[in-house]
Amino acid sequence: MAAENSKQFWKRSAKLPGSIQPVYGAQHPPLDPRLTKKWGFTMLPMLVSNSRTQVISLPWPPNVLGLQSFIKERSKVNTVPLKNKKASSFHEFARNTSDAWDIGDDEEEDFSSPSFQTLNSKVALATAAQVLENHSKLRVKPERSQSTTSDVPANYKVIKSSSDAQLSRNSSDTCLRNPLHKQQSLPLRPIIPLVARISDQNASGAPPMTVREKTRLEKFRQLLSSQNTDLDELRKCSWPGVPREVRPITWRLLSGYLPANTERRKLTLQRKREEYFGFIEQYYDSRNEEHHQDTYRQIHIDIPRTNPLIPLFQQPLVQEIFERILFIWAIRHPASGYVQGINDLVTPFFVVFLSEYVEEDVENFDVTNLSQDMLRSIEADSFWCMSKLLDGIQDNYTFAQPGIQKKVKALEELVSRIDEQVHNHFRRYEVEYLQFAFRWMNNLLMRELPLRCTIRLWDTYQSEPEGFSHFHLYVCAAFLIKWRKEILDEEDFQGLLMLLQNLPTIHWGNEEIGLLLAEAYRLKYMFADAPNHYRR
């Protein structure tokens, strides 16, 4: 009885979306025994209309003539037309996919029904020809798979820019430094994916600095070592990027964490770090109390999701540091509390302040090699600099997130003025700006850019007045228009959203960010002081 109930359950559940379907190949009998008698088929899944998968049988060994006659016979029987039209708007998308959940639980599988017999003969012939070609290649040249691996590394990477060329060299240098057994186990894949590379063009592994870069670095050192650092001049020098060697102290100064007077800096750092760990002693044990459990639980869930491709952030000690930083900030800011997305904002500060103690690339660095005092300094500095940043955009994270709502609306108005064609394209396919730009505002583009690009971007944000709130709007507008060709090429709702949520920035580096910031500055210069430009 139990066996029958189990069988009935799986029969009923077989058509549910997302359920596991049986896969029939040469080692399994086909679904229709009548076809086996005539042809001796193997099964090939074919995608037909509206996300349904039809399984067709192909003759094995391959017989092209038999296959063509078989498809002609099947195409005569087919009477139900295919739905080739893609959903062009959100409402069409919803209508076309709503029937996926209307399947009755008690229905039996009927593979002889017209919907399962629908087959596009042209698609089937093209796919079958491809299968036959692949099989013939495997039979004629079985040794090709061995020779291919030796040919791939030479043409392995597509260089998109000078920034990518530098990153590619860094990745190849890393592979050469790794033990031989690692190269053998993963011959075509670097240890760290390109998207996870934190190093910029001035990081270790890069070629020697040019004369211009050395001059800039010397200018920074003169500014930072003066009795009273000229913050205006420091912002001016930092706008096109801060050299890696002086970035930690520059960020502390530009964020307002350190005073401009050099004599006061040491005492200020000591006092602020002690103050932070005083908060730890006072508040951190309350994370297990009932009224703080939800906050701590959400933080605990989000931390492992932070930059999952970078091993640095998957170390337990680093995750504990992040948990303390975020929990203390949430306790001290009850108006907003912790909101998903704030966890991303810690990572650039943590990496920059860690680089003060680490000369090599930090993405693989084991933080347990640092002393306790170093880790405490990195943690406290990350907390205070993140707090300074969030003080300027806290309305992004209060109830209903009004700051983000206003910024997304401003982005829509700005795009409608600077590129009406893109704006009308979104309206035509019912794409709302909130559907893709909410994340841009909530995470400050950190989910759209590699971390190395975010660090370079924040050099400029901290140099701009209201960089994280006001200037970020123009960066988002420039970022959107950067992809105008790809946007206009998409002619349906799903395609547009898939593009905007997965923009191809994996190869980006300092050069691309510099061009993006230059365009954003141009837009700001044209529109920020001319509010009438927003009006139609």
Side-chain angles (χ1 to χ4, degrees):
M1 187 68 180
E4 291 181 5
N5 290 338
S6 175
K7 184 177 180 182
Q8 289 298 323
F9 170 78
W10 287 113
K11 268 192 173 182
R12 292 198 304 270
S13 304
K15 293 174 69 175
L16 288 177
S19 61
I20 298 176
Q21 301 288 347
V23 178
Y24 295 93
Q27 298 178 358
H28 301 276
L31 294 176
D32 192 347
R34 294 172 297 176
L35 299 177
T36 314
K37 296 178 182 178
K38 185 175 181 181
W39 298 101
F41 287 94
T42 184
M43 308 306 292
L44 175 68
M46 284 293 299
L47 189 66
V48 287
S49 64
N50 198 21
S51 304
R52 292 184 183 272
T53 302
Q54 177 168 349
V55 182
I56 66 169
S57 300
L58 296 181
W60 192 261
N63 185 336
V64 178
L65 295 177
L67 174 64
Q68 290 177 344
S69 60
F70 165 69
I71 291 177
K72 287 179 181 179
E73 288 182 19
R74 293 294 303 269
S75 60
K76 292 178 182 178
V77 179
N78 297 333
T79 56
V80 181
L82 288 173
K83 292 183 180 178
N84 289 326
K85 184 180 177 182
K86 296 178 74 175
S88 61
S89 69
F90 174 76
H91 294 297
E92 290 184 21
F93 170 71
R95 285 197 299 270
N96 289 345
T97 56
S98 61
D99 64 337
W101 300 101
D102 296 336
I103 300 173
D105 287 343
D106 296 329
E107 292 180 3
E108 298 291 336
E109 290 284 359
D110 185 9
F111 291 98
S112 62
S113 62
S115 62
F116 275 92
Q117 293 181 357
T118 304
L119 180 64
N120 188 321
S121 58
K122 292 183 179 179
V123 175
L125 281 172
T127 306
Q130 185 64 42
V131 171
L132 298 178
E133 182 181 353
N134 292 341
H135 279 290
S136 63
K137 288 180 180 179
L138 289 174
R139 294 180 64 184
V140 173
K141 296 182 180 180
E143 71 281 356
R144 179 170 176 77
S145 60
Q146 298 177 357
S147 62
T148 304
T149 56
S150 62
D151 299 336
V152 170
N155 301 319
Y156 169 54
K157 293 176 181 174
V158 180
I159 304 301
K160 301 288 177 110
S161 66
S162 60
S163 300
D164 184 32
Q166 181 57 53
L167 290 166
S168 300
R169 285 196 295 271
N170 291 347
S171 297
S172 62
D173 292 343
T174 303
C175 290
L176 291 175
R177 292 194 298 265
N178 286 328
L180 181 61
H181 69 276
K182 289 187 177 180
Q183 295 186 35
Q184 292 174 346
S185 60
L186 293 173
L188 303 181
R189 184 178 300 172
I191 300 303
I192 301 297
L194 182 59
V195 70
R197 295 285 296 173
I198 299 175
S199 305
D200 60 17
Q201 290 174 335
N202 293 328
S204 60
M209 287 191 295
T210 63
V211 175
R212 181 175 179 274
E213 289 173 340
K214 288 181 180 179
T215 304
R216 289 191 72 240
L217 179 58
E218 188 61 32
K219 179 76 177 291
F220 270 94
R221 284 176 172 159
Q222 289 177 2
L223 280 170
L224 297 170
S225 61
S226 60
Q227 184 71 19
N228 288 286
T229 301
D230 186 344
L231 294 180
D232 290 335
E233 186 65 22
L234 184 63
R235 290 189 184 96
K236 182 179 178 181
C237 292
S238 301
W239 207 100
V242 181
R244 182 180 188 265
E245 294 83 354
V246 295
R247 185 175 275 141
I249 187 172
T250 302
W251 276 28
R252 292 189 188 102
L253 286 165
L254 294 179
S255 65
Y257 174 44
L258 270 188
N261 185 277
T262 54
E263 296 178 355
R264 296 173 50 207
R265 289 176 190 170
K266 185 175 181 180
L267 290 175
T268 301
L269 280 177
Q270 183 179 349
R271 176 174 56 84
K272 298 296 283 185
R273 289 167 180 172
E274 290 176 355
E275 185 179 355
Y276 168 72
F277 285 101
F279 294 151
I280 296 289
E281 294 178 6
Q282 184 177 357
Y283 298 119
Y284 194 58
D285 288 340
S286 66
R287 67 188 184 279
N288 296 319
E289 296 177 4
E290 185 176 355
H291 56 291
H292 290 152
Q293 279 183 350
D294 289 342
T295 298
Y296 179 73
R297 177 180 172 276
Q298 190 60 58
I299 292 172
H300 189 72
I301 292 173
D302 289 347
I303 292 300
R305 302 172 180 170
T306 306
N307 291 296
L309 293 177
I310 302 178
L312 172 69
F313 299 114
Q314 303 309 309
Q315 299 177 35
L317 185 55
V318 173
Q319 294 185 356
E320 291 173 11
I321 290 173
F322 277 37
E323 284 184 3
R324 287 195 293 268
I325 290 173
L326 294 172
F327 183 77
I328 296 302
W329 188 89
I331 293 297
R332 298 188 72 246
H333 296 81
S336 61
Y338 173 75
V339 177
Q340 286 180 298
I342 296 179
N343 56 305
D344 287 330
L345 306 184
V346 187
T347 56
F349 292 114
F350 184 84
V351 167
V352 167
F353 296 140
L354 176 63
S355 68
E356 196 170 17
Y357 304 98
V358 180
E359 293 183 0
E360 63 211 63
D361 295 339
V362 300
E363 56 263 26
N364 259 332
F365 183 76
D366 185 357
V367 296
T368 58
N369 294 327
L370 297 177
S371 68
Q372 189 66 24
D373 288 340
M374 291 178 180
L375 288 172
R376 287 168 65 91
S377 298
I378 294 169
E379 180 176 348
D381 293 354
S382 299
F383 169 81
W384 287 114
C385 288
M386 186 198 74
S387 298
K388 292 286 186 181
L389 185 160
L390 289 171
D391 286 346
I393 57 172
Q394 192 169 354
D395 62 339
N396 284 8
Y397 306 106
T398 54
F399 178 73
Q401 301 182 269
I404 292 180
Q405 304 278 353
K406 292 176 183 176
K407 290 182 179 70
V408 171
K409 184 63 178 175
L411 177 65
E412 181 177 358
E413 294 176 350
L414 181 58
V415 173
S416 70
R417 299 299 296 164
I418 63 179
D419 199 325
E420 191 173 5
Q421 188 178 4
V422 169
H423 179 70
N424 290 336
H425 193 70
F426 286 153
R427 294 182 64 183
R428 178 183 178 186
Y429 296 109
E430 302 178 16
V431 175
E432 299 291 338
Y433 284 76
L434 202 62
Q435 291 169 331
F436 63 88
F438 179 89
R439 189 171 75 179
W440 296 9
M441 304 299 177
N442 189 63
N443 300 82
L444 299 178
L445 287 176
M446 287 194 63
R447 298 288 178 89
E448 325 311 318
L449 300 170
L451 183 53
R452 60 181 178 272
C453 295
T454 298
I455 292 173
R456 167 62 190 91
L457 187 66
W458 284 21
D459 286 342
T460 301
Y461 279 5
Q462 295 191 85
S463 308
E464 275 280 328
E466 299 181 334
F468 290 98
S469 55
H470 187 61
F471 187 63
H472 180 66
L473 168 67
Y474 298 97
V475 172
C476 289
F479 187 65
L480 181 63
I481 301 306
K482 162 77 178 175
W483 309 102
R484 74 181 310 275
K485 181 181 181 300
E486 291 81 358
I487 290 171
L488 295 177
D489 286 343
E490 294 291 341
E491 296 184 348
D492 61 275
F493 174 82
Q494 308 98 295
L496 281 167
L497 275 194
M498 286 293 292
L499 170 68
L500 292 168
Q501 292 176 358
N502 299 277
L503 291 166
T505 60
I506 183 175
H507 293 280
W508 277 32
N510 286 356
E511 180 183 344
E512 289 77 12
I513 294 299
L515 293 173
L516 178 70
L517 289 167
E519 177 63 16
Y521 185 81
R522 185 185 72 84
L523 294 176
K524 179 191 172 188
Y525 184 80
M526 291 177 60
F527 291 94
D529 298 323
N532 287 335
H533 286 187
Y534 284 106
R535 296 175 187 155
R536 304 180 72 76

